Amino acid sequence: MDLLDYAFMQRALLAAVLVGITAPAVGIYLVQRRQALMGDGIGHVAMTGVGLGFLLSWSPVWMATLVSVLGAVLMELIRWYGKTRGDIALAMLFYGGMAGGVMFINLAPGGSNANLTSYLFGSLSTVSESDVTAICVLAAFVVLVTLGLRRQLFAVSQDEEFARVTGLPVRALNLLTAVTAAVTVTVAMRVVGLLLVSALMVVPVAAAQQLSRSFAATFAIAVAIGVTVTIGGTVTSYYQDVPPGATIVLLTIAAFILLAALATPLARRRARAAAARQPAGDPAECAIPATRAPEGTAGV
């Protein structure tokens, strides 16, 4: 493949693989918590970090990481204490993050809104060696947290009250999930873009759920989908000269539609097979149902 002859494509493909792994790995917990749009909100806040990076002549990736982590912590505090005014506070945080990014980058020497484009929608040619180093470090943190603490994070995501009764530090784990989501946003912004990263965190998980209700299987399938679409989108954008972020998201949605279409006949086939195994003498309404784990908990 001739694209591997170029250093910038080697960097872009490595970044794409890391994004494909980390985004669904965090997204599965956000989906369980019904916070599917959290990544979108963090992406808005991270724009301020990008703008500050240009203004202070510091790495936009690391500055965006710092600002988005602070924003994620603030979002969790608003969720805990905001009550009726929480939605207004979150709206101000999100829109303030966008406005701050535009303002700071225009105040930077030689800065303009054009500098934000590659961070908003992703860009292959602008992924530098320092970006790859930062992405590798941040991705390692995300994988360590999402795999190493998967049982605890899953328990908190499913039922906070039950997790609290069992002695888990619920607030600390919620904060850790928010921080990990913030780190994932900055990992993905060079490939997918800040405005589209939330789709890569959520849609692969939704697609994987079409095939499995087991947490472990859903996790594995979602990551496989994430890696496939990020590599596919990166390669397509190189050969067809189309935006990588938009291409990756469209491929992700296409994967969801395909798996949803396949899941319906599979479910019907399983239902017919289950009915065929039903003993002839027992009406279905009199049969003793098999016990099973609560939905989504198997295989954690």
PDB file of all heavy atoms in Angstrom, residues 172-186:
ATOM      1  N   ALA A 172     -16.140   8.852  43.327  1.00  0.00           N
ATOM      2  CA  ALA A 172     -14.784   8.799  42.775  1.00  0.00           C
ATOM      3  C   ALA A 172     -14.784   8.081  41.428  1.00  0.00           C
ATOM      4  O   ALA A 172     -14.105   8.511  40.486  1.00  0.00           O
ATOM      5  CB  ALA A 172     -13.849   8.088  43.756  1.00  0.00           C
ATOM      6  N   LEU A 173     -15.553   7.014  41.305  1.00  0.00           N
ATOM      7  CA  LEU A 173     -15.627   6.280  40.042  1.00  0.00           C
ATOM      8  C   LEU A 173     -16.345   7.097  38.967  1.00  0.00           C
ATOM      9  O   LEU A 173     -15.981   7.044  37.790  1.00  0.00           O
ATOM     10  CB  LEU A 173     -16.332   4.940  40.249  1.00  0.00           C
ATOM     11  CG  LEU A 173     -15.528   3.896  41.056  1.00  0.00           C
ATOM     12  CD1 LEU A 173     -16.399   2.717  41.424  1.00  0.00           C
ATOM     13  CD2 LEU A 173     -14.305   3.436  40.265  1.00  0.00           C
ATOM     14  N   ASN A 174     -17.369   7.862  39.362  1.00  0.00           N
ATOM     15  CA  ASN A 174     -18.030   8.742  38.405  1.00  0.00           C
ATOM     16  C   ASN A 174     -17.075   9.811  37.885  1.00  0.00           C
ATOM     17  O   ASN A 174     -17.049  10.124  36.692  1.00  0.00           O
ATOM     18  CB  ASN A 174     -19.253   9.397  39.046  1.00  0.00           C
ATOM     19  CG  ASN A 174     -20.463   8.488  39.082  1.00  0.00           C
ATOM     20  OD1 ASN A 174     -20.596   7.586  38.259  1.00  0.00           O
ATOM     21  ND2 ASN A 174     -21.352   8.700  40.030  1.00  0.00           N
ATOM     22  N   LEU A 175     -16.295  10.364  38.790  1.00  0.00           N
ATOM     23  CA  LEU A 175     -15.297  11.355  38.376  1.00  0.00           C
ATOM     24  C   LEU A 175     -14.263  10.738  37.456  1.00  0.00           C
ATOM     25  O   LEU A 175     -13.855  11.347  36.460  1.00  0.00           O
ATOM     26  CB  LEU A 175     -14.606  11.959  39.605  1.00  0.00           C
ATOM     27  CG  LEU A 175     -15.312  13.116  40.304  1.00  0.00           C
ATOM     28  CD1 LEU A 175     -14.546  13.525  41.551  1.00  0.00           C
ATOM     29  CD2 LEU A 175     -15.461  14.312  39.366  1.00  0.00           C
ATOM     30  N   LEU A 176     -13.836   9.529  37.773  1.00  0.00           N
ATOM     31  CA  LEU A 176     -12.852   8.847  36.936  1.00  0.00           C
ATOM     32  C   LEU A 176     -13.415   8.580  35.548  1.00  0.00           C
ATOM     33  O   LEU A 176     -12.709   8.734  34.534  1.00  0.00           O
ATOM     34  CB  LEU A 176     -12.423   7.534  37.595  1.00  0.00           C
ATOM     35  CG  LEU A 176     -11.333   6.740  36.864  1.00  0.00           C
ATOM     36  CD1 LEU A 176     -10.059   7.566  36.732  1.00  0.00           C
ATOM     37  CD2 LEU A 176     -11.052   5.424  37.583  1.00  0.00           C
ATOM     38  N   THR A 177     -14.689   8.202  35.457  1.00  0.00           N
ATOM     39  CA  THR A 177     -15.319   7.995  34.151  1.00  0.00           C
ATOM     40  C   THR A 177     -15.356   9.281  33.356  1.00  0.00           C
ATOM     41  O   THR A 177     -15.062   9.298  32.154  1.00  0.00           O
ATOM     42  CB  THR A 177     -16.754   7.454  34.326  1.00  0.00           C
ATOM     43  OG1 THR A 177     -16.715   6.225  35.058  1.00  0.00           O
ATOM     44  CG2 THR A 177     -17.413   7.222  32.987  1.00  0.00           C
ATOM     45  N   ALA A 178     -15.706  10.383  34.023  1.00  0.00           N
ATOM     46  CA  ALA A 178     -15.760  11.678  33.343  1.00  0.00           C
ATOM     47  C   ALA A 178     -14.377  12.105  32.861  1.00  0.00           C
ATOM     48  O   ALA A 178     -14.216  12.590  31.736  1.00  0.00           O
ATOM     49  CB  ALA A 178     -16.345  12.732  34.281  1.00  0.00           C
ATOM     50  N   VAL A 179     -13.370  11.917  33.703  1.00  0.00           N
ATOM     51  CA  VAL A 179     -12.000  12.280  33.320  1.00  0.00           C
ATOM     52  C   VAL A 179     -11.529  11.419  32.156  1.00  0.00           C
ATOM     53  O   VAL A 179     -10.892  11.910  31.216  1.00  0.00           O
ATOM     54  CB  VAL A 179     -11.053  12.133  34.536  1.00  0.00           C
ATOM     55  CG1 VAL A 179      -9.592  12.228  34.101  1.00  0.00           C
ATOM     56  CG2 VAL A 179     -11.361  13.205  35.580  1.00  0.00           C
ATOM     57  N   THR A 180     -11.840  10.125  32.203  1.00  0.00           N
ATOM     58  CA  THR A 180     -11.440   9.231  31.116  1.00  0.00           C
ATOM     59  C   THR A 180     -12.129   9.619  29.814  1.00  0.00           C
ATOM     60  O   THR A 180     -11.524   9.568  28.733  1.00  0.00           O
ATOM     61  CB  THR A 180     -11.779   7.770  31.472  1.00  0.00           C
ATOM     62  OG1 THR A 180     -11.223   7.448  32.746  1.00  0.00           O
ATOM     63  CG2 THR A 180     -11.208   6.816  30.444  1.00  0.00           C
ATOM     64  N   ALA A 181     -13.397  10.016  29.888  1.00  0.00           N
ATOM     65  CA  ALA A 181     -14.103  10.487  28.695  1.00  0.00           C
ATOM     66  C   ALA A 181     -13.441  11.748  28.139  1.00  0.00           C
ATOM     67  O   ALA A 181     -13.299  11.903  26.923  1.00  0.00           O
ATOM     68  CB  ALA A 181     -15.567  10.758  29.020  1.00  0.00           C
ATOM     69  N   ALA A 182     -13.021  12.640  29.031  1.00  0.00           N
ATOM     70  CA  ALA A 182     -12.350  13.870  28.594  1.00  0.00           C
ATOM     71  C   ALA A 182     -11.032  13.560  27.896  1.00  0.00           C
ATOM     72  O   ALA A 182     -10.695  14.159  26.860  1.00  0.00           O
ATOM     73  CB  ALA A 182     -12.110  14.781  29.797  1.00  0.00           C
ATOM     74  N   VAL A 183     -10.275  12.628  28.452  1.00  0.00           N
ATOM     75  CA  VAL A 183      -9.009  12.234  27.832  1.00  0.00           C
ATOM     76  C   VAL A 183      -9.265  11.617  26.463  1.00  0.00           C
ATOM     77  O   VAL A 183      -8.537  11.874  25.492  1.00  0.00           O
ATOM     78  CB  VAL A 183      -8.257  11.246  28.751  1.00  0.00           C
ATOM     79  CG1 VAL A 183      -7.054  10.649  28.036  1.00  0.00           C
ATOM     80  CG2 VAL A 183      -7.815  11.951  30.026  1.00  0.00           C
ATOM     81  N   THR A 184     -10.322  10.818  26.358  1.00  0.00           N
ATOM     82  CA  THR A 184     -10.647  10.180  25.082  1.00  0.00           C
ATOM     83  C   THR A 184     -10.986  11.212  24.013  1.00  0.00           C
ATOM     84  O   THR A 184     -10.625  11.050  22.839  1.00  0.00           O
ATOM     85  CB  THR A 184     -11.836   9.213  25.268  1.00  0.00           C
ATOM     86  OG1 THR A 184     -11.494   8.258  26.273  1.00  0.00           O
ATOM     87  CG2 THR A 184     -12.154   8.482  23.975  1.00  0.00           C
ATOM     88  N   VAL A 185     -11.672  12.261  24.398  1.00  0.00           N
ATOM     89  CA  VAL A 185     -12.015  13.320  23.440  1.00  0.00           C
ATOM     90  C   VAL A 185     -10.750  13.930  22.851  1.00  0.00           C
ATOM     91  O   VAL A 185     -10.653  14.143  21.633  1.00  0.00           O
ATOM     92  CB  VAL A 185     -12.873  14.401  24.122  1.00  0.00           C
ATOM     93  CG1 VAL A 185     -12.987  15.649  23.244  1.00  0.00           C
ATOM     94  CG2 VAL A 185     -14.260  13.857  24.426  1.00  0.00           C
ATOM     95  N   THR A 186      -9.758  14.185  23.687  1.00  0.00           N
ATOM     96  CA  THR A 186      -8.527  14.783  23.177  1.00  0.00           C
ATOM     97  C   THR A 186      -7.694  13.776  22.379  1.00  0.00           C
ATOM     98  O   THR A 186      -6.956  14.167  21.482  1.00  0.00           O
ATOM     99  CB  THR A 186      -7.687  15.366  24.335  1.00  0.00           C
ATOM    100  OG1 THR A 186      -7.436  14.342  25.308  1.00  0.00           O
ATOM    101  CG2 THR A 186      -8.412  16.511  25.003  1.00  0.00           C
TER     102      THR A 186
END
